[in-house]
Short mmCIF file of all heavy atoms in Angstrom, two decimals:
data_model
loop_
_atom_site.label_atom_id
_atom_site.label_comp_id
_atom_site.label_asym_id
_atom_site.label_seq_id
_atom_site.Cartn_x
_atom_site.Cartn_y
_atom_site.Cartn_z
N ALA U 67 0.82 -1.21 0.00
CA ALA U 67 0.00 0.00 0.00
C ALA U 67 0.86 1.26 0.00
O ALA U 67 0.56 2.23 -0.70
CB ALA U 67 -0.94 -0.01 1.20
N LEU U 68 1.94 1.26 0.77
CA LEU U 68 2.81 2.43 0.82
C LEU U 68 3.56 2.62 -0.49
O LEU U 68 3.74 3.76 -0.95
CB LEU U 68 3.80 2.30 1.98
CG LEU U 68 3.27 2.70 3.36
CD1 LEU U 68 4.26 2.30 4.44
CD2 LEU U 68 2.99 4.20 3.41
N LEU U 69 4.02 1.54 -1.08
CA LEU U 69 4.69 1.64 -2.38
C LEU U 69 3.77 2.30 -3.41
O LEU U 69 4.18 3.18 -4.17
CB LEU U 69 5.12 0.26 -2.88
CG LEU U 69 6.28 -0.40 -2.13
CD1 LEU U 69 6.43 -1.85 -2.60
CD2 LEU U 69 7.58 0.35 -2.36
N TYR U 70 2.52 1.88 -3.41
CA TYR U 70 1.56 2.45 -4.35
C TYR U 70 1.28 3.91 -4.03
O TYR U 70 1.29 4.76 -4.93
CB TYR U 70 0.26 1.65 -4.31
CG TYR U 70 -0.83 2.22 -5.19
CD1 TYR U 70 -0.82 2.01 -6.57
CD2 TYR U 70 -1.85 3.00 -4.64
CE1 TYR U 70 -1.81 2.55 -7.38
CE2 TYR U 70 -2.84 3.54 -5.44
CZ TYR U 70 -2.82 3.32 -6.80
OH TYR U 70 -3.79 3.86 -7.61
N ARG U 71 1.05 4.19 -2.77
CA ARG U 71 0.66 5.56 -2.38
C ARG U 71 1.76 6.57 -2.69
O ARG U 71 1.47 7.72 -3.05
CB ARG U 71 0.34 5.57 -0.88
CG ARG U 71 -0.18 6.91 -0.39
CD ARG U 71 -1.55 7.20 -0.99
NE ARG U 71 -2.00 8.55 -0.67
CZ ARG U 71 -2.71 8.87 0.41
NH1 ARG U 71 -3.04 7.92 1.28
NH2 ARG U 71 -3.10 10.09 0.62
N LEU U 72 3.01 6.18 -2.56
CA LEU U 72 4.12 7.10 -2.75
C LEU U 72 4.81 6.93 -4.11
O LEU U 72 5.94 7.35 -4.29
CB LEU U 72 5.13 6.94 -1.62
CG LEU U 72 4.58 7.37 -0.25
CD1 LEU U 72 5.56 7.04 0.86
CD2 LEU U 72 4.23 8.84 -0.22
N ARG U 73 4.12 6.29 -5.06
CA ARG U 73 4.59 6.15 -6.44
C ARG U 73 5.96 5.46 -6.52
O ARG U 73 6.85 5.88 -7.25
CB ARG U 73 4.65 7.51 -7.13
CG ARG U 73 3.29 8.15 -7.33
CD ARG U 73 3.38 9.48 -8.06
NE ARG U 73 2.07 10.07 -8.22
CZ ARG U 73 1.26 9.89 -9.26
NH1 ARG U 73 1.65 9.11 -10.26
NH2 ARG U 73 0.08 10.48 -9.33
N LEU U 74 6.10 4.38 -5.77
CA LEU U 74 7.35 3.63 -5.75
C LEU U 74 7.17 2.19 -6.21
O LEU U 74 8.13 1.41 -6.19
CB LEU U 74 7.96 3.65 -4.34
CG LEU U 74 8.37 5.03 -3.81
CD1 LEU U 74 8.74 4.93 -2.32
CD2 LEU U 74 9.54 5.59 -4.60
N THR U 75 5.97 1.81 -6.62
CA THR U 75 5.70 0.41 -6.98
C THR U 75 6.64 -0.09 -8.07
O THR U 75 7.18 -1.19 -7.98
CB THR U 75 4.24 0.25 -7.43
OG1 THR U 75 3.37 0.65 -6.35
CG2 THR U 75 3.94 -1.20 -7.79
N ALA U 76 6.83 0.72 -9.10
CA ALA U 76 7.67 0.29 -10.23
C ALA U 76 9.14 0.18 -9.84
O ALA U 76 9.94 -0.41 -10.57
CB ALA U 76 7.51 1.26 -11.39
N LEU U 77 9.48 0.73 -8.68
CA LEU U 77 10.88 0.73 -8.22
C LEU U 77 11.10 -0.25 -7.07
O LEU U 77 12.15 -0.23 -6.43
CB LEU U 77 11.28 2.14 -7.77
CG LEU U 77 11.20 3.22 -8.85
CD1 LEU U 77 11.32 4.60 -8.23
CD2 LEU U 77 12.29 3.01 -9.90
N ALA U 78 10.15 -1.14 -6.81
CA ALA U 78 10.21 -2.01 -5.64
C ALA U 78 11.48 -2.85 -5.60
O ALA U 78 12.02 -3.13 -4.52
CB ALA U 78 8.98 -2.91 -5.59
N ARG U 79 12.00 -3.25 -6.77
CA ARG U 79 13.20 -4.10 -6.81
C ARG U 79 14.47 -3.30 -7.07
O ARG U 79 15.55 -3.87 -7.19
CB ARG U 79 13.01 -5.17 -7.88
CG ARG U 79 11.85 -6.12 -7.61
CD ARG U 79 11.67 -7.13 -8.73
NE ARG U 79 12.84 -7.98 -8.88
CZ ARG U 79 12.98 -8.88 -9.85
NH1 ARG U 79 12.01 -9.03 -10.75
NH2 ARG U 79 14.07 -9.61 -9.93
N ALA U 80 14.35 -1.97 -7.16
CA ALA U 80 15.51 -1.13 -7.45
C ALA U 80 16.36 -0.91 -6.21
O ALA U 80 15.87 -0.95 -5.07
CB ALA U 80 15.06 0.22 -8.00
N ASN U 81 17.65 -0.69 -6.42
CA ASN U 81 18.54 -0.32 -5.32
C ASN U 81 18.18 1.08 -4.85
O ASN U 81 18.12 2.01 -5.66
CB ASN U 81 19.99 -0.36 -5.80
CG ASN U 81 20.99 -0.16 -4.67
OD1 ASN U 81 20.85 0.75 -3.87
ND2 ASN U 81 22.00 -1.01 -4.62
N PRO U 82 17.95 1.31 -3.56
CA PRO U 82 17.55 2.63 -3.08
C PRO U 82 18.53 3.74 -3.44
O PRO U 82 18.13 4.89 -3.64
CB PRO U 82 17.47 2.44 -1.56
CG PRO U 82 17.20 1.00 -1.37
CD PRO U 82 17.94 0.30 -2.48
N PHE U 83 19.81 3.41 -3.54
CA PHE U 83 20.82 4.43 -3.81
C PHE U 83 20.83 4.88 -5.26
O PHE U 83 21.49 5.86 -5.60
CB PHE U 83 22.20 3.91 -3.40
CG PHE U 83 22.34 3.72 -1.92
CD1 PHE U 83 22.10 2.48 -1.35
CD2 PHE U 83 22.69 4.77 -1.09
CE1 PHE U 83 22.20 2.29 0.02
CE2 PHE U 83 22.80 4.59 0.28
CZ PHE U 83 22.55 3.35 0.84
N THR U 84 20.07 4.18 -6.14
CA THR U 84 19.99 4.60 -7.54
C THR U 84 18.75 5.43 -7.82
O THR U 84 18.53 5.85 -8.96
CB THR U 84 19.99 3.38 -8.48
OG1 THR U 84 18.78 2.63 -8.29
CG2 THR U 84 21.19 2.49 -8.23
N LEU U 85 17.93 5.70 -6.82
CA LEU U 85 16.73 6.49 -7.01
C LEU U 85 17.07 7.96 -7.18
O LEU U 85 18.16 8.42 -6.81
CB LEU U 85 15.79 6.34 -5.81
CG LEU U 85 15.34 4.93 -5.42
CD1 LEU U 85 14.34 5.01 -4.28
CD2 LEU U 85 14.75 4.19 -6.60
N SER U 86 16.12 8.72 -7.73
CA SER U 86 16.29 10.18 -7.77
C SER U 86 16.18 10.75 -6.36
O SER U 86 15.75 10.05 -5.42
CB SER U 86 15.22 10.80 -8.66
OG SER U 86 13.95 10.80 -8.01
N GLY U 87 16.55 12.00 -6.21
CA GLY U 87 16.47 12.63 -4.89
C GLY U 87 15.06 12.63 -4.34
O GLY U 87 14.84 12.34 -3.16
N GLY U 88 14.07 12.95 -5.18
CA GLY U 88 12.69 12.96 -4.73
C GLY U 88 12.19 11.57 -4.37
O GLY U 88 11.44 11.39 -3.40
N GLU U 89 12.60 10.57 -5.14
CA GLU U 89 12.20 9.19 -4.85
C GLU U 89 12.84 8.71 -3.55
O GLU U 89 12.20 8.01 -2.75
CB GLU U 89 12.60 8.28 -6.01
CG GLU U 89 11.78 8.51 -7.27
CD GLU U 89 12.41 7.90 -8.51
OE1 GLU U 89 13.60 7.55 -8.47
OE2 GLU U 89 11.69 7.77 -9.52
N LYS U 90 14.11 9.07 -3.33
CA LYS U 90 14.77 8.70 -2.07
C LYS U 90 14.04 9.31 -0.88
O LYS U 90 13.87 8.67 0.16
CB LYS U 90 16.23 9.17 -2.07
CG LYS U 90 17.14 8.38 -2.98
CD LYS U 90 18.54 8.99 -2.98
CE LYS U 90 19.47 8.26 -3.95
NZ LYS U 90 20.80 8.90 -4.02
N ARG U 91 13.62 10.58 -1.03
CA ARG U 91 12.91 11.22 0.07
C ARG U 91 11.59 10.49 0.35
O ARG U 91 11.26 10.23 1.51
CB ARG U 91 12.65 12.69 -0.27
CG ARG U 91 11.70 13.42 0.67
CD ARG U 91 12.04 13.19 2.14
NE ARG U 91 13.16 13.96 2.58
CZ ARG U 91 14.03 13.58 3.50
NH1 ARG U 91 13.93 12.39 4.06
NH2 ARG U 91 15.00 14.36 3.89
N ARG U 92 10.83 10.16 -0.68
CA ARG U 92 9.56 9.46 -0.44
C ARG U 92 9.80 8.09 0.19
O ARG U 92 9.03 7.66 1.06
CB ARG U 92 8.77 9.32 -1.76
CG ARG U 92 8.38 10.67 -2.35
CD ARG U 92 7.23 10.56 -3.33
NE ARG U 92 7.47 9.73 -4.47
CZ ARG U 92 8.16 10.09 -5.55
NH1 ARG U 92 8.72 11.29 -5.61
NH2 ARG U 92 8.31 9.27 -6.58
N LEU U 93 10.87 7.39 -0.22
CA LEU U 93 11.18 6.10 0.39
C LEU U 93 11.55 6.27 1.86
O LEU U 93 11.13 5.48 2.70
CB LEU U 93 12.33 5.42 -0.38
CG LEU U 93 12.82 4.10 0.21
CD1 LEU U 93 11.69 3.08 0.31
CD2 LEU U 93 13.98 3.55 -0.61
N SER U 94 12.33 7.30 2.17
CA SER U 94 12.72 7.49 3.57
C SER U 94 11.51 7.78 4.45
O SER U 94 11.45 7.33 5.60
CB SER U 94 13.75 8.62 3.68
OG SER U 94 13.19 9.88 3.36
N VAL U 95 10.54 8.52 3.92
CA VAL U 95 9.30 8.74 4.66
C VAL U 95 8.55 7.43 4.82
O VAL U 95 8.04 7.11 5.91
CB VAL U 95 8.43 9.80 3.94
CG1 VAL U 95 7.05 9.89 4.60
CG2 VAL U 95 9.12 11.16 3.96
N ALA U 96 8.49 6.64 3.76
CA ALA U 96 7.77 5.37 3.82
C ALA U 96 8.38 4.42 4.84
O ALA U 96 7.65 3.65 5.49
CB ALA U 96 7.74 4.72 2.44
N THR U 97 9.71 4.43 5.00
CA THR U 97 10.34 3.52 5.96
C THR U 97 9.88 3.79 7.38
O THR U 97 9.90 2.89 8.23
CB THR U 97 11.88 3.62 5.91
OG1 THR U 97 12.29 4.95 6.25
CG2 THR U 97 12.42 3.24 4.55
N MET U 98 9.48 5.03 7.66
CA MET U 98 8.94 5.35 8.98
C MET U 98 7.44 5.10 9.05
O MET U 98 6.93 4.62 10.06
CB MET U 98 9.26 6.81 9.33
CG MET U 98 10.72 7.08 9.61
SD MET U 98 11.37 6.10 11.02
CE MET U 98 12.29 4.81 10.16
N LEU U 99 6.72 5.40 7.98
CA LEU U 99 5.27 5.20 8.00
C LEU U 99 4.91 3.73 8.16
O LEU U 99 3.89 3.40 8.76
CB LEU U 99 4.66 5.73 6.71
CG LEU U 99 4.77 7.23 6.45
CD1 LEU U 99 4.04 7.60 5.16
CD2 LEU U 99 4.23 8.04 7.61
N VAL U 100 5.75 2.83 7.67
CA VAL U 100 5.43 1.40 7.73
C VAL U 100 5.41 0.89 9.17
O VAL U 100 4.76 -0.11 9.47
CB VAL U 100 6.44 0.59 6.87
CG1 VAL U 100 7.78 0.45 7.58
CG2 VAL U 100 5.87 -0.77 6.50
N THR U 101 6.07 1.60 10.08
CA THR U 101 6.09 1.19 11.48
C THR U 101 4.93 1.81 12.28
O THR U 101 4.76 1.48 13.45
CB THR U 101 7.41 1.58 12.17
OG1 THR U 101 7.50 3.01 12.25
CG2 THR U 101 8.60 1.04 11.39
N ALA U 102 4.15 2.70 11.65
CA ALA U 102 2.98 3.33 12.27
C ALA U 102 3.29 3.93 13.64
O ALA U 102 2.62 3.61 14.63
CB ALA U 102 1.84 2.32 12.37
#
C-alpha cells in the first residue's frame, strides 16, 4: 500500500541508492510510515 501511495511500486526491486532525490525522500518517509 505504501509503495503504491508514494509512487514507488515500479521501483520495488531497485537499489535505493539509484533512485532520484525525490524518490529517495519518499522512500525514507515510507520507511517510517510502515512502522505506524
Side-chain angles (χ1 to χ4, degrees):
L68 278 171
L69 289 171
Y70 176 79
R71 184 67 187 271
L72 294 174
R73 294 182 180 269
L74 296 171
T75 300
L77 299 167
R79 298 177 62 185
N81 187 313
F83 293 94
T84 67
L85 304 184
S86 74
E89 290 164 344
K90 288 176 183 176
R91 169 48 77 212
R92 297 200 300 280
L93 176 58
S94 67
V95 172
T97 61
M98 290 300 103
L99 296 183
V100 76
T101 67

